[in-house]
Amino acid sequence: MYYPSKLRSAVAALLFVAGIVAAFQAGYFGKEILVEIALYALLALSLDFLAGFGGMVSLGHAAFYGIGGYAYVILSMQAGVPPLAAMGLALVPCFAAGWLLGIVTSKVRGIFYIMATLAFGQMIYVFTFQNRMLGGSDGIAGVPRIDLSAIGIDMNDPSIFACAVVVATGLVYLVFSRILTSSFGRTLVGLHRNENRMRALGLSVRWYKAMASALAGTAAGFAGTIAAQHTMFVSPGMMDWTTSGEVLIMVILGGLETLIGPIVGAAFVVLLKHEISEFTNHWHFFIGVFLIVAILAGGKGLYGSLEAGVARLTRKKPVADDASDAAPAETPEAGNA
Amino acid sequence: MLTDPGYLFVQFLNGLQFSMLLFLLSVGLSVTFGLMNFVNLAHGALYACGAFIGYSIAMATGSFWAAFLLAPLAVCVIGAVLYGVLIRQVRSAGPLTQVLLTFGLIFIFLDAFRVIWGDLALGVSAPTLLATNIHIFGQTYPLYRLFLICLGLAVYLILWLFLERTNIGAMVRASVDNAEMASCLGVNVERLFFAVFCTGCLLAGLAGVVAAPIVSVYPGMDLEILIPTLIVVVIGGLGSLKGAIVGSLLIGMLQTFGQVLIPQLAGSLSYILLGATLILRPEGLFPARAH
């Protein structure tokens, strides 16, 4: 169950302010890193919505990132749609693809869901990779950014762009926070906990799963439209399954089923990657070690551990349903047995 | 060209050879999967280990056959150590934990390969005994690839005899079907799982070392083979030898002939097949478990 607790709101506000300050104060390279963090944060928090709260652990999330990016490019560069409208329209195929994936996989659970999403992601990846119309393995360059000069905002200014991306991330966070406290969000968590009971209550499991998948896909696609504008370039590389794996790592390292944790995880992994790259190319090794240590330590992740620590210090019992929350990662297996 | 039976026959042999490689990899993964619901994404990394270690042994001794014998054993030892240190602790955790832990291992192995063997692709030459072409049905075909096909079939036969005709094989089958019941009947499922896991690692190492002369050896070769292997496991059905061989043949042939007949779609074909299987027959074609 999701609660926008004081700690979560405080961390979210802190991260947001830090992001805005960094957008104006950091050097050129720092702004690049900031945008990268924000993009991964969007992917990670939408994946947490799907995997942490909805129990649908996807290894194909990067496909939506790519669909959003490519849809924006096709609409704005080939169909002549104005960039701002293209950004909105590009979300339609993401929503549709997410919905379709959710419908098709509504009865698939646990490791089979992971495999199904992996297959979906790779299918989109390979299709794009081999499609000449989409630039094949080279991708498409020269992507325009949205034009907000009418209201006095210059998106080509790196500070403004970084700031806009941080604001967008904050808004998406608020939207997901709102969704999770709505009856839809409660139902989604209920499905994760006990699907049969929800079905017995007369709910359309298939509809809820499709909707959750579509919403998560739309948010990832939104990140894709920003990514395309950021580098002014799209390539199939952005939908490789290892990208999906990295996003999943961020979710876990930050804290599954916390919504804010994945943003912490995204910042941690991206910063670590850049810090380690300063003195060695072998950042994969360190991320791998961190991941394994985090999992063996109980899999709560950075923010999750902080939350547990604070709960212990204030001597209050963690929120009532924590008993059933204790092992969210194990629930999917129940369907497997 | 496409109607030339000789050309198609050569493609058929290529498909068969790729299938056998997939079989060596998928059979261990499938049985550990079915036995304990354990997901090992690092299986591909063990395959790469086999290839790299095989390369080093072949370089040091000058003999491919030394690598052929020793590399799988080395991979088996690496697998046993991994099992003792890490895998045992997450064996009963959910698929998410296992996927992430073994994904972390992929990252660690990737950089370990880079540090030890460098980024460049390495070549291993086929043993002189097999480094010739032979003529079958008017076509020339590398003998080494035929050797691979025979090796895969031999491994299948040995595993089949072992699983169907020995006591331990019966225990494995019983444990895959119902681990709890098997352990009530006195089967040490834990130890059995360890043995099956090590055998899987041994076969992955074997696949790596025999693949080395055909594909070049480089960091990242594990990721390339991992996805088709996982597809074979899911399509074939968890825990079954029959599923592994049928799945391997399906995917091997599909990829080989796909590239020849419909190159635009070739890459997507096996994913489409996987998606269709998961929707229409989520338990796979020949699941070992009845329920």
Side-chain angles (χ1 to χ4, degrees):
Chain A
M1 194 73 81
Y2 174 78
Y3 294 100
S5 66
K6 277 182 194 146
L7 184 64
R8 286 180 186 179
S9 306
V11 172
L14 193 74
L15 286 173
F16 183 74
V17 172
I20 296 290
V21 170
F24 289 102
Q25 296 298 318
Y28 178 76
F29 193 54
K31 283 169 195 152
E32 292 291 302
I33 292 178
L34 178 67
V35 174
E36 196 182 331
I37 290 175
L39 289 174
Y40 273 118
L42 279 173
L43 286 175
L45 85 91
S46 56
L47 183 60
D48 190 28
F49 171 75
L50 191 67
F53 294 95
M56 289 170 264
V57 181
S58 167
L59 256 188
H61 209 52
F64 296 102
Y65 191 53
I67 294 175
Y70 271 91
Y72 175 75
V73 168
I74 291 166
L75 287 166
S76 65
M77 290 175 70
Q78 291 168 7
V81 179
L84 196 58
M87 216 175 150
L89 278 178
L91 300 182
V92 175
C94 302
F95 186 91
W99 181 276
L100 202 67
L101 180 66
I103 288 280
V104 164
T105 57
S106 66
K107 284 187 184 147
V108 184
R109 284 187 214 93
I111 185 62
F112 295 98
Y113 183 82
I114 297 179
M115 293 306 304
T117 47
L118 180 66
F120 165 78
Q122 285 297 103
M123 217 151 74
I124 306 275
Y125 169 74
V126 173
F127 176 78
T128 317
F129 197 89
Q130 293 182 336
N131 196 321
R132 292 241 170 274
M133 300 268 290
L134 298 173
S137 55
D138 298 332
I140 302 171
V143 182
R145 288 187 178 175
I146 54 170
D147 184 12
L148 294 178
S149 52
I151 50 170
I153 297 175
D154 176 18
M155 291 302 262
N156 286 319
D157 178 333
S159 291
I160 304 282
F161 187 81
C163 183
V165 176
V166 172
V167 170
T169 310
L171 286 176
V172 172
Y173 174 76
L174 289 179
V175 168
F176 274 105
S177 174
R178 180 73 194 84
I179 293 174
L180 282 168
T181 47
S182 71
S183 66
F184 176 85
R186 300 299 192 225
T187 312
L188 186 64
V189 176
L191 273 180
H192 180 186
R193 297 278 174 270
N194 192 332
E195 194 173 311
N196 282 333
R197 192 171 293 177
M198 298 313 269
R199 193 173 278 124
L201 287 172
L203 290 161
S204 166
V205 170
R206 179 176 276 214
W207 188 89
Y208 275 94
K209 284 192 168 179
M211 196 63 188
S213 172
L215 288 171
T218 307
F222 180 60
T225 63
I226 298 175
Q229 297 178 55
H230 173 226
T231 51
M232 302 185 172
F233 172 67
V234 284
S235 74
M238 65 199 282
M239 349 183 198
D240 199 345
W241 76 276
T242 47
T243 310
S244 301
E246 268 177 56
V247 174
L248 199 54
I249 290 176
M250 291 169 183
V251 174
I252 300 301
L253 282 182
L256 187 73
E257 218 179 348
T258 57
L259 203 61
I260 186 70
I263 301 181
V264 177
F268 176 75
V269 172
V270 172
L271 288 174
L272 192 72
K273 218 194 282 192
H274 284 286
E275 286 302 311
I276 293 174
S277 311
E278 297 272 304
F279 56 92
T280 161
N281 296 328
H282 302 296
W283 62 269
H284 279 111
F285 179 84
F286 292 92
I287 301 280
V289 170
F290 267 106
L291 180 66
I292 290 175
V293 168
I295 285 171
L296 294 181
K300 273 190 179 10
L302 292 170
Y303 175 79
S305 307
L306 173 76
E307 200 167 73
V310 169
R312 214 176 304 125
L313 279 179
T314 50
R315 285 182 174 281
K316 249 192 276 175
K317 279 215 154 164
V319 242
D321 71 354
D322 240 35
S324 62
D325 267 5
E330 272 149 47
T331 336
E333 206 191 29
N336 239 346
Chain B
M1 187 169 78
L2 291 181
T3 49
D4 174 11
Y7 176 75
L8 288 179
F9 177 66
V10 168
Q11 291 306 326
F12 170 76
L13 287 179
N14 281 339
L16 205 57
Q17 175 259 307
F18 183 49
S19 302
M20 287 306 135
L21 203 59
L22 283 177
F23 170 70
L24 287 180
L25 277 163
S26 57
V27 67
L29 198 59
S30 175
V31 178
T32 39
F33 220 143
L35 197 54
M36 284 284 188
N37 273 327
F38 181 74
V39 192
N40 184 12
L41 290 189
H43 204 68
L46 293 168
Y47 156 82
C49 262
F52 277 113
I53 295 174
Y55 166 82
S56 286
I57 294 177
M59 284 293 127
T61 62
S63 152
F64 175 82
W65 297 110
F68 179 79
L69 291 175
L70 294 177
L73 289 175
V75 174
C76 181
V77 171
I78 293 173
V81 170
L82 279 183
Y83 183 87
V85 176
L86 288 174
I87 291 170
R88 201 169 45 176
Q89 309 192 35
V90 294
R91 230 211 350 73
S92 51
L96 175 61
T97 311
Q98 296 169 351
V99 162
L100 282 164
L101 185 101
T102 48
F103 196 75
L105 282 178
I106 291 182
F107 275 16
I108 293 177
F109 271 112
L110 184 70
D111 272 341
F113 294 146
R114 283 194 181 136
V115 170
I116 303 173
W117 285 281
D119 279 316
L120 299 176
L122 310 168
V124 175
S125 44
T128 33
L129 182 65
L130 300 173
T132 52
N133 289 328
I134 59 156
H135 298 272
I136 16 170
F137 300 115
Q139 302 294 322
T140 49
Y141 199 72
L143 184 60
Y144 184 74
R145 285 178 185 251
L146 278 185
F147 161 73
L148 256 184
I149 296 172
C150 297
L151 179 74
L153 291 174
V155 169
Y156 172 75
L157 205 66
I158 292 168
L159 288 177
W160 183 81
L161 282 173
F162 177 76
L163 280 172
E164 299 292 326
R165 292 283 183 272
T166 67
N167 242 334
I168 303 176
M171 284 186 200
V172 172
R173 280 183 291 132
S175 306
V176 169
D177 191 48
N178 190 334
E180 232 168 77
M181 182 56 93
S183 76
C184 286
L185 293 173
V187 176
N188 190 337
V189 180
E190 193 65 34
R191 201 189 296 163
L192 206 59
F193 178 75
F194 178 65
V196 169
F197 183 82
C198 289
T199 312
C201 295
L202 188 84
L203 290 176
L206 180 67
V209 69
V210 296
I214 294 180
V215 299
S216 50
V217 182
Y218 61 97
M221 66 185 291
D222 53 332
L223 289 179
E224 205 163 290
I225 201 82
L226 176 67
I227 307 270
T229 307
L230 286 170
I231 294 177
V232 166
V233 170
V234 173
I235 289 182
L238 302 188
S240 88
L241 188 64
K242 196 172 165 193
I245 188 95
V246 174
S248 301
L249 286 169
L250 262 176
I251 295 298
M253 290 297 174
L254 196 69
Q255 289 210 349
T256 310
F257 279 98
Q259 255 149 24
V260 178
L261 301 174
I262 26 174
Q264 305 86 354
L265 261 180
S268 319
L269 279 177
S270 40
Y271 300 114
I272 294 171
L273 188 64
L274 173 62
T277 309
L278 281 167
I279 295 159
L280 301 173
R281 221 183 137 84
E283 70 278 15
L285 295 177
F286 302 104
R289 232 172 293 176
H291 51 249

